């Protein structure tokens, strides 16, 4: 049976990682039988990141490669019925979520002091108490550095909010009056966008970003529709 290795459930989501939840949605779209193996330490995985899909001897890293693998293995097209133009838009939406909104989520989770206290307890509670403070301080420093290198960490909270807000407005403009991004059936872009937005909405403490999402009724209704259609 296929095994999805990813971070355990957290903050109301089936995995702390939105990429893990995205992979779960793909598994459901493929009609696969699978089991989850919770792992909170990605260091020994091929790319040092999770999720990781294991199929016998095969190890597939990265949610986008997991998508390609599942589409091929189960002879399905997660974007069935979409025109070439819609497929191009879908690709752009997925990149926007994975490579931009994700970093707004990381900053909100890790750099916001109130959130960090909860994140630390939730993610690193298994580290012996004696060294937990030291280890988690180091990990947070690494995240801060990587967010600075990536660029999102250089923006103020307000600037990050404006950026995320523009992405969310773009997503909702695409959804329009439809149930899903491209019509009546959820596609790969829904499976990518919603875990990211839901993770932001499910912030452990209320932040400006989580408020922005939770106060947006049409956006929350869209998250709910995708949740019901695609979540495990
Ligand atoms: N492009 C990857 C991103 C995966 C990713 O960033 N995973 C994070 C958790 S959300 C991770 O494992 N980070 C560990 C690290 O960077 O050390 C995908 O789509 O799967």
């Amino acid at each position: 049976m296929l095994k999805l290795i990813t971070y355990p459930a957290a903050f109301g989501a089936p995995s702390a990682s939105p990429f893990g939840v995205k992979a779960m949605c793909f598994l459901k779209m493929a009609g696969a039988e699978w089991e989850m193996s919770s792992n909170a330490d990605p260091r020994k995985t091929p790319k040092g990141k999770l999720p990781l899909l294991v199929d016998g001897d095969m190890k597939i890293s990265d949610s986008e490669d997991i998508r390609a693998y599942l589409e091929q293995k189960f002879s399905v097209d997660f974007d069935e019925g979409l025109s070439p133009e819609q497929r191009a838009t879908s690709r752009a939406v997925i990149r926007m979520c994975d490579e931009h909104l994700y970093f707004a989520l990381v900053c909100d989770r890790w750099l916001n002091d109130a959130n960090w206290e909860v994140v630390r307890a939730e993610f690193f509670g298994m580290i012996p108490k004696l060294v937990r403070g030291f280890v988690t301080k180091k990990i947070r420093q690494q995240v801060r550095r990587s967010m600075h290198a990536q660029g999102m960490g250089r923006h103020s909270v307000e600037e990050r909010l404006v950026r995320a807000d523009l992405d969310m407005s773009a997503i909702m403009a695409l959804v329009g009056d439809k149930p899903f991004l491209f019509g009546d059936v959820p596609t790969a872009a829904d499976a990518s966008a919603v875990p990211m937005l839901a993770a932001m909405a499910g912030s452990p403490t209320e932040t400006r970003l989580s408020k922005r999402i939770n106060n947006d009724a049409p956006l929350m209704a869209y998250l709910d529709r995708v949740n019901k259609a695609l979540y495990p």
Side-chain angles (χ1 to χ4, degrees), residues 7 17-19 22 42 48-51 62-64 98 102:
Y7 299 89
S17 163
F19 298 107
K22 176 186 172 188
K49 289 193 182 231
L50 291 169
D62 199 294
S63 61
E64 282 302 295
D98 288 6
Y102 172 61

